[in-house]
Coordinates of all heavy atoms in Angstrom, one line a residue:
M212 N -138.5 -198.7 49.9 CA -137.9 -197.7 49.1 C -137.1 -198.3 47.9 O -136.5 -197.6 47.2 CB -137.0 -196.8 49.9 CG -137.7 -195.8 50.7 SD -136.5 -194.4 51.1 CE -137.6 -193.1 51.3
G213 N -137.1 -199.6 47.9 CA -136.5 -200.3 46.8 C -135.0 -200.6 47.1 O -134.7 -201.0 48.2
K214 N -134.2 -200.6 46.1 CA -132.8 -200.9 46.2 C -132.1 -200.1 47.3 O -132.4 -198.9 47.4 CB -132.1 -200.7 44.8 CG -131.0 -201.6 44.5 CD -130.6 -201.4 43.1 CE -129.5 -202.4 42.7 NZ -129.0 -202.2 41.4
T215 N -131.2 -200.6 48.0 CA -130.5 -199.9 49.0 C -129.0 -199.9 48.7 O -128.4 -200.6 47.9 CB -130.6 -200.6 50.4 OG1 -130.0 -201.8 50.4 CG2 -132.1 -200.7 50.8
R216 N -128.4 -198.8 49.3 CA -126.9 -198.7 49.3 C -126.5 -198.0 50.6 O -127.3 -197.3 51.2 CB -126.4 -198.0 48.1 CG -126.7 -196.6 48.0 CD -126.0 -196.0 46.8 NE -125.8 -194.5 47.1 CZ -125.4 -193.6 46.3 NH1 -125.2 -194.0 45.0 NH2 -125.3 -192.4 46.6
S217 N -125.3 -198.2 50.9 CA -124.7 -197.6 52.2 C -124.2 -196.2 51.9 O -123.5 -196.0 50.9 CB -123.6 -198.5 52.7 OG -123.9 -198.9 53.9
I218 N -124.4 -195.2 52.9 CA -123.7 -194.0 52.9 C -123.3 -193.6 54.3 O -123.8 -194.2 55.3 CB -124.7 -192.8 52.4 CG1 -125.9 -192.7 53.3 CG2 -125.1 -193.1 50.9 CD1 -126.7 -191.4 53.0
N219 N -122.4 -192.8 54.4 CA -121.9 -192.3 55.7 C -122.3 -190.9 55.9 O -122.1 -190.1 55.0 CB -120.3 -192.4 55.8 CG -119.9 -193.8 55.8 OD1 -120.4 -194.7 56.5 ND2 -118.8 -194.1 55.1
V220 N -122.9 -190.6 57.1 CA -123.3 -189.2 57.3 C -122.9 -188.8 58.7 O -122.7 -189.7 59.6 CB -124.8 -189.0 57.2 CG1 -125.4 -189.3 55.8 CG2 -125.6 -189.9 58.2
E221 N -122.6 -187.6 58.9 CA -122.3 -187.0 60.3 C -123.5 -186.4 60.8 O -124.1 -185.5 60.1 CB -121.2 -186.1 60.2 CG -119.8 -186.7 59.9 CD -118.7 -185.7 59.9 OE1 -118.7 -184.7 60.7 OE2 -117.7 -185.9 59.2
L222 N -124.0 -186.8 62.0 CA -125.2 -186.2 62.6 C -124.8 -185.6 64.0 O -123.9 -186.1 64.6 CB -126.2 -187.3 62.8 CG -126.7 -188.1 61.5 CD1 -127.5 -189.2 61.9 CD2 -127.4 -187.1 60.6
S223 N -125.6 -184.6 64.3 CA -125.4 -184.1 65.7 C -125.7 -185.1 66.8 O -126.4 -186.1 66.6 CB -126.3 -182.8 65.9 OG -127.6 -183.3 66.0
T224 N -125.1 -184.9 67.9 CA -125.3 -185.8 69.1 C -126.8 -185.9 69.4 O -127.3 -187.0 69.7 CB -124.6 -185.3 70.3 OG1 -123.2 -185.2 70.0 CG2 -124.8 -186.2 71.5
E225 N -127.5 -184.8 69.3 CA -129.0 -184.8 69.6 C -129.7 -185.6 68.6 O -130.6 -186.4 69.1 CB -129.6 -183.3 69.5 CG -129.0 -182.4 70.6 CD -127.7 -181.7 70.2 OE1 -127.2 -181.8 69.0 OE2 -127.1 -181.1 71.1
V226 N -129.4 -185.6 67.3 CA -130.1 -186.4 66.3 C -129.8 -187.9 66.6 O -130.7 -188.7 66.5 CB -129.7 -185.9 64.9 CG1 -130.2 -186.9 63.9 CG2 -130.2 -184.5 64.6
I227 N -128.6 -188.2 66.9 CA -128.2 -189.6 67.1 C -129.0 -190.1 68.4 O -129.5 -191.2 68.3 CB -126.7 -189.7 67.3 CG1 -126.0 -189.4 66.0 CG2 -126.3 -191.1 67.9 CD1 -124.5 -189.3 66.1
Q228 N -129.1 -189.3 69.4 CA -129.8 -189.7 70.6 C -131.3 -189.9 70.3 O -131.9 -190.9 70.7 CB -129.7 -188.6 71.7 CG -128.3 -188.6 72.3 CD -128.1 -187.4 73.3 OE1 -128.9 -186.5 73.3 NE2 -127.1 -187.5 74.1
V229 N -131.9 -189.1 69.4 CA -133.3 -189.3 69.0 C -133.4 -190.6 68.3 O -134.3 -191.4 68.5 CB -133.8 -188.1 68.2 CG1 -135.2 -188.4 67.5 CG2 -133.9 -186.8 69.0
L230 N -132.6 -190.8 67.3 CA -132.6 -192.1 66.5 C -132.4 -193.3 67.4 O -133.2 -194.2 67.3 CB -131.5 -192.1 65.4 CG -131.7 -191.1 64.3 CD1 -130.4 -191.0 63.5 CD2 -132.9 -191.5 63.4
E231 N -131.4 -193.3 68.3 CA -131.2 -194.4 69.2 C -132.4 -194.6 70.1 O -132.8 -195.8 70.4 CB -129.9 -194.2 70.0 CG -128.7 -194.3 69.1 CD -127.4 -193.9 69.9 OE1 -127.4 -193.3 70.9 OE2 -126.4 -194.3 69.3
S232 N -133.0 -193.5 70.6 CA -134.2 -193.7 71.5 C -135.4 -194.3 70.8 O -136.1 -195.1 71.3 CB -134.6 -192.3 72.0 OG -135.8 -192.3 72.7
R233 N -135.6 -193.9 69.5 CA -136.7 -194.4 68.7 C -136.5 -195.9 68.4 O -137.5 -196.7 68.5 CB -136.9 -193.6 67.4 CG -137.3 -192.1 67.6 CD -138.7 -192.0 68.1 NE -139.1 -190.7 68.3 CZ -139.8 -189.9 67.5 NH1 -140.2 -190.4 66.4 NH2 -140.1 -188.6 67.8
V234 N -135.3 -196.2 68.1 CA -135.0 -197.7 67.9 C -135.1 -198.5 69.2 O -135.7 -199.5 69.2 CB -133.6 -197.8 67.3 CG1 -133.2 -199.3 67.2 CG2 -133.5 -197.2 65.9
A235 N -134.6 -197.9 70.3 CA -134.7 -198.7 71.6 C -136.1 -198.9 72.0 O -136.4 -199.9 72.6 CB -133.9 -197.9 72.6
S236 N -137.0 -197.9 71.7 CA -138.4 -198.0 72.1 C -139.1 -199.0 71.3 O -140.2 -199.3 71.6 CB -139.1 -196.6 72.0 OG -139.3 -196.3 70.7
G237 N -138.5 -199.4 70.2 CA -139.2 -200.3 69.3 C -140.0 -199.6 68.2 O -140.7 -200.3 67.3
E238 N -140.0 -198.4 68.2 CA -140.7 -197.6 67.2 C -140.2 -197.9 65.7 O -141.0 -197.9 64.8 CB -140.7 -196.1 67.5 CG -141.6 -195.3 66.6 CD -141.6 -193.8 67.0 OE1 -141.1 -193.5 68.1 OE2 -142.1 -193.0 66.2
Y239 N -138.9 -198.0 65.7 CA -138.3 -198.4 64.4 C -137.3 -199.6 64.6 O -136.7 -199.7 65.7 CB -137.5 -197.2 63.9 CG -138.3 -196.0 63.5 CD1 -138.5 -194.9 64.4 CD2 -139.0 -196.0 62.3 CE1 -139.3 -193.9 64.1 CE2 -139.9 -194.9 62.0 CZ -140.0 -193.9 62.9 OH -140.8 -192.8 62.6
P240 N -137.2 -200.4 63.6 CA -136.3 -201.6 63.8 C -134.8 -201.3 63.7 O -134.0 -202.1 64.2 CB -136.8 -202.6 62.7 CG -137.3 -201.7 61.7 CD -138.0 -200.5 62.4
S241 N -134.5 -200.2 63.1 CA -133.1 -199.8 63.0 C -133.0 -198.3 62.7 O -134.0 -197.6 62.4 CB -132.5 -200.5 61.8 OG -133.1 -200.0 60.6
T242 N -131.8 -197.8 62.9 CA -131.6 -196.3 62.6 C -131.9 -196.0 61.1 O -132.4 -195.0 60.8 CB -130.2 -195.9 63.0 OG1 -129.2 -196.7 62.4 CG2 -130.0 -195.9 64.5
A243 N -131.5 -197.0 60.3 CA -131.8 -196.8 58.9 C -133.3 -196.7 58.6 O -133.7 -195.8 57.8 CB -131.2 -198.0 58.0
A244 N -134.1 -197.5 59.2 CA -135.5 -197.4 59.1 C -136.0 -196.0 59.6 O -136.9 -195.4 58.9 CB -136.2 -198.5 59.8
A245 N -135.5 -195.5 60.6 CA -135.9 -194.2 61.2 C -135.5 -193.1 60.3 O -136.3 -192.2 60.0 CB -135.3 -194.0 62.6
I246 N -134.4 -193.2 59.7 CA -133.9 -192.1 58.7 C -134.7 -192.2 57.5 O -135.1 -191.2 56.9 CB -132.4 -192.3 58.4 CG1 -131.6 -191.9 59.7 CG2 -132.0 -191.5 57.2 CD1 -130.1 -192.3 59.6
E247 N -135.1 -193.4 57.0 CA -135.9 -193.5 55.8 C -137.3 -192.9 56.1 O -137.8 -192.2 55.2 CB -136.1 -195.0 55.4 CG -134.9 -195.6 54.7 CD -135.1 -197.0 54.2 OE1 -136.3 -197.5 54.3 OE2 -134.1 -197.6 53.8
A248 N -137.9 -193.1 57.3 CA -139.1 -192.5 57.6 C -139.0 -190.9 57.6 O -139.9 -190.3 57.1 CB -139.6 -192.9 59.0
A249 N -137.9 -190.4 58.1 CA -137.7 -189.0 58.1 C -137.6 -188.4 56.6 O -138.2 -187.4 56.3 CB -136.4 -188.6 58.9
V250 N -137.0 -189.2 55.8 CA -136.9 -188.7 54.4 C -138.2 -188.8 53.7 O -138.6 -187.9 53.0 CB -135.8 -189.6 53.6 CG1 -135.9 -189.4 52.1 CG2 -134.4 -189.3 54.2
R251 N -139.0 -189.8 54.0 CA -140.4 -189.9 53.5 C -141.2 -188.7 53.9 O -142.0 -188.1 53.1 CB -141.0 -191.2 53.8 CG -140.6 -192.4 53.0 CD -141.6 -193.5 53.2 NE -141.5 -194.1 54.5 CZ -140.6 -195.0 55.0 NH1 -139.6 -195.4 54.1 NH2 -140.6 -195.4 56.2
L252 N -141.0 -188.2 55.1 CA -141.7 -187.0 55.6 C -141.3 -185.8 54.9 O -142.1 -184.9 54.6 CB -141.5 -186.9 57.1 CG -142.3 -187.8 58.0 CD1 -141.9 -187.6 59.5 CD2 -143.8 -187.6 57.9
L253 N -140.0 -185.7 54.6 CA -139.5 -184.6 53.8 C -140.1 -184.5 52.4 O -140.5 -183.5 51.9 CB -138.0 -184.6 53.7 CG -137.2 -184.3 54.9 CD1 -135.7 -184.6 54.7 CD2 -137.4 -182.8 55.3
V254 N -140.2 -185.7 51.8 CA -140.8 -185.8 50.4 C -142.3 -185.5 50.5 O -142.8 -184.7 49.7 CB -140.6 -187.2 49.9 CG1 -141.5 -187.4 48.6 CG2 -139.1 -187.5 49.6
Q255 N -143.0 -185.9 51.6 CA -144.4 -185.6 51.7 C -144.5 -184.1 51.9 O -145.4 -183.5 51.4 CB -144.9 -186.4 52.9 CG -146.4 -186.1 53.2 CD -146.9 -186.8 54.4 OE1 -146.2 -187.7 55.0 NE2 -148.1 -186.5 54.8
E256 N -143.6 -183.5 52.8 CA -143.7 -182.1 53.0 C -143.5 -181.3 51.8 O -144.2 -180.3 51.6 CB -142.5 -181.7 54.0 CG -142.9 -180.8 55.1 CD -141.7 -180.6 56.0 OE1 -140.7 -180.1 55.6 OE2 -141.9 -181.0 57.2
D257 N -142.6 -181.7 50.9 CA -142.4 -181.0 49.6 C -143.7 -181.1 48.8 O -144.1 -180.1 48.2 CB -141.3 -181.6 48.8 CG -139.9 -181.4 49.4 OD1 -139.8 -180.5 50.2 OD2 -139.0 -182.0 49.0
G258 N -144.4 -182.2 48.8 CA -145.7 -182.3 48.1 C -146.7 -181.4 48.7 O -147.5 -180.8 48.0
D259 N -146.7 -181.3 50.0 CA -147.7 -180.4 50.7 C -147.4 -179.0 50.4 O -148.3 -178.2 50.2 CB -147.7 -180.6 52.2 CG -148.3 -182.0 52.6 OD1 -148.9 -182.6 51.8 OD2 -148.1 -182.4 53.8
A260 N -146.1 -178.6 50.3 CA -145.8 -177.3 49.9 C -146.3 -176.9 48.5 O -146.7 -175.8 48.3 CB -144.3 -177.1 50.1
D261 N -146.1 -177.9 47.6 CA -146.6 -177.6 46.3 C -148.1 -177.5 46.3 O -148.7 -176.6 45.6 CB -146.3 -178.8 45.4 CG -144.8 -178.9 45.0 OD1 -144.1 -177.9 45.2 OD2 -144.4 -179.9 44.5
L262 N -148.8 -178.2 47.1 CA -150.3 -178.2 47.2 C -150.7 -176.8 47.7 O -151.6 -176.1 47.2 CB -150.9 -179.3 48.0 CG -152.4 -179.3 48.3 CD1 -153.1 -179.3 47.0 CD2 -152.7 -180.4 49.2
Q263 N -150.0 -176.4 48.8 CA -150.3 -175.1 49.4 C -150.0 -174.0 48.4 O -150.8 -173.0 48.3 CB -149.4 -174.9 50.7 CG -149.8 -173.7 51.4 CD -151.2 -173.7 52.0 OE1 -151.7 -174.7 52.3 NE2 -151.8 -172.6 52.0
A264 N -149.0 -174.0 47.7 CA -148.7 -173.0 46.6 C -149.8 -173.0 45.6 O -150.2 -171.9 45.2 CB -147.3 -173.3 46.0
W265 N -150.2 -174.1 45.2 CA -151.3 -174.2 44.2 C -152.6 -173.6 44.8 O -153.2 -172.8 44.1 CB -151.5 -175.7 43.8 CG -152.6 -175.9 42.9 CD1 -152.7 -175.5 41.6 CD2 -153.9 -176.6 43.1 NE1 -153.9 -175.9 41.0 CE2 -154.6 -176.6 41.9 CE3 -154.4 -177.3 44.2 CZ2 -155.8 -177.2 41.8 CZ3 -155.6 -178.0 44.1 CH2 -156.3 -177.9 42.9
I266 N -152.9 -173.9 46.0 CA -154.1 -173.3 46.6 C -153.9 -171.8 46.7 O -154.9 -171.0 46.3 CB -154.3 -173.9 48.0 CG1 -154.8 -175.3 47.9 CG2 -155.3 -173.0 48.8 CD1 -154.8 -176.1 49.2
E267 N -152.8 -171.3 47.1 CA -152.6 -169.9 47.3 C -152.5 -169.2 45.9 O -152.8 -167.9 45.9 CB -151.3 -169.6 48.0 CG -151.4 -170.0 49.5 CD -150.1 -169.9 50.2 OE1 -149.1 -169.6 49.6 OE2 -150.1 -170.2 51.4
T268 N -152.2 -169.8 44.8 CA -152.2 -169.1 43.6 C -153.4 -169.4 42.7 O -154.3 -168.6 42.6 CB -150.9 -169.4 42.8 OG1 -150.8 -170.8 42.6 CG2 -149.6 -168.9 43.5
D269 N -153.5 -170.6 42.2 CA -154.5 -171.0 41.2 C -155.9 -170.8 41.8 O -156.8 -170.2 41.2 CB -154.3 -172.4 40.7 CG -153.1 -172.5 39.8 OD1 -152.5 -171.5 39.5 OD2 -152.7 -173.6 39.5
I270 N -156.2 -171.4 43.0 CA -157.5 -171.4 43.5 C -157.9 -170.0 44.0 O -159.0 -169.5 43.7 CB -157.6 -172.4 44.7 CG1 -157.5 -173.8 44.1 CG2 -158.9 -172.2 45.5 CD1 -157.7 -174.9 45.0
V271 N -157.0 -169.3 44.6 CA -157.3 -167.9 45.1 C -157.6 -167.0 43.8 O -158.6 -166.3 43.8 CB -156.2 -167.3 45.9 CG1 -156.4 -165.8 46.2 CG2 -156.1 -168.1 47.3
E272 N -156.7 -167.2 42.8 CA -157.0 -166.4 41.6 C -158.3 -166.7 40.9 O -159.0 -165.9 40.5 CB -155.9 -166.6 40.6 CG -154.6 -166.0 41.0 CD -153.5 -166.4 40.0 OE1 -153.7 -166.9 39.0 OE2 -152.3 -166.1 40.4
R273 N -158.7 -168.0 40.9 CA -159.9 -168.5 40.3 C -161.1 -168.0 41.1 O -162.1 -167.5 40.5 CB -159.9 -170.0 40.2 CG -161.1 -170.5 39.4 CD -160.9 -170.1 37.9 NE -162.1 -170.2 37.2 CZ -162.7 -169.3 36.5 NH1 -162.1 -168.1 36.3 NH2 -163.9 -169.5 35.9
M274 N -161.0 -168.0 42.4 CA -162.1 -167.4 43.2 C -162.3 -165.9 42.9 O -163.4 -165.4 42.9 CB -161.9 -167.7 44.7 CG -162.0 -169.2 45.1 SD -163.6 -169.9 44.6 CE -164.7 -169.0 45.5
A275 N -161.2 -165.2 42.8 CA -161.3 -163.8 42.4 C -162.0 -163.6 41.1 O -162.8 -162.7 40.9 CB -159.9 -163.2 42.4
D276 N -161.7 -164.5 40.1 CA -162.3 -164.4 38.8 C -163.8 -164.6 38.9 O -164.6 -163.9 38.4 CB -161.8 -165.5 37.9 CG -160.4 -165.3 37.4 OD1 -159.9 -164.1 37.6 OD2 -159.7 -166.2 36.9
V277 N -164.2 -165.6 39.7 CA -165.7 -165.9 40.0 C -166.3 -164.7 40.6 O -167.4 -164.3 40.2 CB -165.9 -167.1 40.8 CG1 -167.3 -167.3 41.2 CG2 -165.4 -168.4 40.0
E278 N -165.7 -164.1 41.6 CA -166.2 -162.9 42.3 C -166.4 -161.7 41.3 O -167.3 -160.9 41.5 CB -165.4 -162.5 43.5 CG -165.5 -163.5 44.6 CD -164.5 -163.2 45.8 OE1 -163.8 -162.2 45.7 OE2 -164.5 -164.0 46.7
R279 N -165.5 -161.6 40.3 CA -165.7 -160.5 39.3 C -166.7 -160.9 38.2 O -167.0 -160.1 37.4 CB -164.3 -160.3 38.6 CG -163.3 -159.6 39.4 CD -162.1 -159.1 38.6 NE -161.4 -160.2 37.9 CZ -160.5 -160.9 38.4 NH1 -160.0 -160.6 39.6 NH2 -159.9 -162.0 37.8
G280 N -167.3 -162.0 38.4 CA -168.3 -162.4 37.4 C -167.9 -163.2 36.2 O -168.7 -163.5 35.3
D281 N -166.6 -163.6 36.2 CA -166.2 -164.5 35.2 C -166.9 -165.9 35.3 O -167.1 -166.3 36.4 CB -164.6 -164.7 35.2 CG -163.9 -163.5 34.9 OD1 -164.5 -162.5 34.3 OD2 -162.7 -163.4 35.1
P282 N -167.2 -166.5 34.1 CA -167.8 -167.8 34.2 C -166.9 -168.9 34.8 O -165.7 -168.8 34.7 CB -168.1 -168.1 32.7 CG -167.2 -167.3 31.9 CD -166.9 -166.1 32.8
L283 N -167.6 -169.9 35.4 CA -166.9 -171.0 36.0 C -166.3 -171.9 34.8 O -166.8 -171.9 33.7 CB -167.8 -171.8 36.8 CG -168.4 -171.1 38.0 CD1 -169.4 -172.0 38.7 CD2 -167.3 -170.8 39.0
R284 N -165.2 -172.6 35.2 CA -164.7 -173.5 34.2 C -165.5 -174.7 34.0 O -166.1 -175.2 35.0 CB -163.3 -174.0 34.7 CG -162.2 -173.0 34.7 CD -160.9 -173.6 35.1 NE -159.9 -172.6 35.4 CZ -158.8 -172.9 35.9 NH1 -158.4 -174.2 36.2 NH2 -157.9 -172.0 36.2
P285 N -165.6 -175.2 32.8 CA -166.3 -176.5 32.6 C -165.7 -177.6 33.4 O -164.5 -177.6 33.6 CB -166.2 -176.7 31.1 CG -165.7 -175.5 30.5 CD -165.0 -174.7 31.6
A286 N -166.6 -178.5 33.9 CA -166.1 -179.6 34.8 C -165.1 -180.4 34.1 O -164.1 -180.8 34.7 CB -167.3 -180.5 35.2
D287 N -165.2 -180.7 32.8 CA -164.2 -181.5 32.2 C -162.8 -180.9 32.2 O -161.8 -181.6 32.3 CB -164.6 -181.9 30.7 CG -164.8 -180.7 29.8 OD1 -165.0 -179.6 30.3 OD2 -164.8 -180.9 28.6
R288 N -162.8 -179.6 32.1 CA -161.5 -178.9 32.2 C -160.9 -179.0 33.6 O -159.7 -179.2 33.8 CB -161.6 -177.4 31.7 CG -160.3 -176.7 31.8 CD -160.3 -175.4 31.0 NE -159.0 -174.7 31.3 CZ -158.9 -173.4 31.3 NH1 -160.0 -172.6 31.1 NH2 -157.8 -172.8 31.6
V289 N -161.8 -178.8 34.6 CA -161.3 -178.9 36.0 C -160.7 -180.3 36.2 O -159.7 -180.4 36.8 CB -162.5 -178.6 37.0 CG1 -162.1 -178.9 38.4 CG2 -162.9 -177.2 36.8
F290 N -161.4 -181.3 35.8 CA -161.0 -182.7 36.0 C -159.6 -183.0 35.3 O -158.7 -183.6 35.8 CB -162.0 -183.7 35.7 CG -163.1 -183.8 36.7 CD1 -164.4 -183.4 36.4 CD2 -162.8 -184.2 38.0 CE1 -165.4 -183.5 37.3 CE2 -163.9 -184.2 38.9 CZ -165.1 -183.8 38.6
S291 N -159.5 -182.5 34.1 CA -158.3 -182.7 33.3 C -157.1 -182.0 34.0 O -156.0 -182.5 34.0 CB -158.4 -182.3 31.8 OG -158.6 -180.9 31.7
D292 N -157.4 -180.7 34.5 CA -156.3 -180.0 35.2 C -155.9 -180.8 36.5 O -154.7 -180.8 36.8 CB -156.8 -178.6 35.6 CG -156.9 -177.7 34.4 OD1 -156.5 -178.0 33.3 OD2 -157.5 -176.6 34.6
L293 N -156.9 -181.3 37.2 CA -156.6 -182.0 38.4 C -155.8 -183.3 38.1 O -154.8 -183.7 38.8 CB -157.9 -182.4 39.2 CG -158.5 -181.2 39.9 CD1 -159.9 -181.6 40.4 CD2 -157.7 -180.7 41.0
Q294 N -156.2 -184.0 37.0 CA -155.5 -185.2 36.6 C -154.1 -184.9 36.3 O -153.1 -185.6 36.7 CB -156.3 -185.9 35.5 CG -155.6 -187.2 35.1 CD -156.3 -187.9 34.0 OE1 -157.0 -187.2 33.2 NE2 -156.3 -189.2 34.0
A295 N -153.8 -183.8 35.5 CA -152.5 -183.5 35.2 C -151.7 -183.1 36.4 O -150.5 -183.5 36.5 CB -152.5 -182.3 34.2
R296 N -152.3 -182.4 37.3 CA -151.6 -182.0 38.5 C -151.2 -183.3 39.4 O -150.1 -183.4 39.9 CB -152.4 -181.1 39.4 CG -151.8 -180.8 40.7 CD -152.4 -179.6 41.3 NE -151.8 -179.3 42.6 CZ -150.6 -178.8 42.7 NH1 -149.9 -178.6 41.6 NH2 -150.0 -178.6 43.8
H297 N -152.1 -184.2 39.4 CA -151.9 -185.5 40.1 C -150.8 -186.3 39.5 O -149.9 -186.8 40.2 CB -153.2 -186.3 40.2 CG -153.0 -187.7 40.8 ND1 -152.8 -187.8 42.2 CD2 -153.0 -188.9 40.3 CE1 -152.7 -189.1 42.4 NE2 -152.8 -189.8 41.3
L298 N -150.8 -186.4 38.2 CA -149.7 -187.1 37.5 C -148.3 -186.4 37.7 O -147.3 -187.1 37.9 CB -150.0 -187.2 36.0 CG -151.1 -188.2 35.7 CD1 -151.5 -188.1 34.2 CD2 -150.9 -189.6 36.1
K299 N -148.3 -185.1 37.7 CA -147.1 -184.4 38.0 C -146.6 -184.6 39.4 O -145.4 -184.9 39.5 CB -147.3 -182.9 37.7 CG -146.1 -182.0 38.0 CD -146.5 -180.5 37.9 CE -145.3 -179.7 38.2 NZ -145.7 -178.3 38.3
T300 N -147.5 -184.6 40.4 CA -147.1 -184.9 41.7 C -146.5 -186.3 41.9 O -145.5 -186.6 42.5 CB -148.3 -184.7 42.7 OG1 -148.7 -183.4 42.5 CG2 -147.9 -184.9 44.1
R301 N -147.2 -187.3 41.3 CA -146.8 -188.7 41.4 C -145.4 -188.8 40.7 O -144.5 -189.6 41.2 CB -147.8 -189.6 40.7 CG -149.0 -189.7 41.6 CD -150.0 -190.7 41.0 NE -149.3 -192.1 41.1 CZ -149.7 -193.1 40.4 NH1 -150.8 -193.0 39.6 NH2 -149.2 -194.3 40.6
T302 N -145.2 -188.2 39.6 CA -143.9 -188.3 38.9 C -142.8 -187.7 39.7 O -141.7 -188.2 39.8 CB -144.0 -187.6 37.5 OG1 -145.1 -188.2 36.7 CG2 -142.7 -187.7 36.7
K303 N -143.1 -186.6 40.3 CA -142.1 -185.9 41.2 C -141.8 -186.7 42.4 O -140.6 -186.8 42.7 CB -142.7 -184.5 41.6 CG -141.7 -183.7 42.4 CD -142.4 -182.4 42.7 CE -141.5 -181.4 43.5 NZ -142.1 -180.2 43.8
A304 N -142.7 -187.4 43.0 CA -142.5 -188.2 44.2 C -141.8 -189.5 43.9 O -141.1 -190.1 44.7 CB -143.8 -188.4 44.9
G305 N -142.0 -190.0 42.6 CA -141.5 -191.3 42.3 C -140.1 -191.3 41.8 O -139.2 -191.9 41.9

């Protein structure tokens, strides 16, 4: 994750027990590593939510257009749209 800094957080007893258990089992080398993994999952989840929203809006709408007889988009436009979306996702995650 790059540069680090220290922060203090208050966690529930249950969360602390989970962290300590994961570290004790050797799954993570430290509580900090376990928390970093959890944050990475949150970031990934946000990306997945964006993808799901895109599927539910753009793709569903486009399929409805096709079913109504509207012409398909040219492949170069599809690829440029996908590339723009990919860059936006990478920028958001980074």
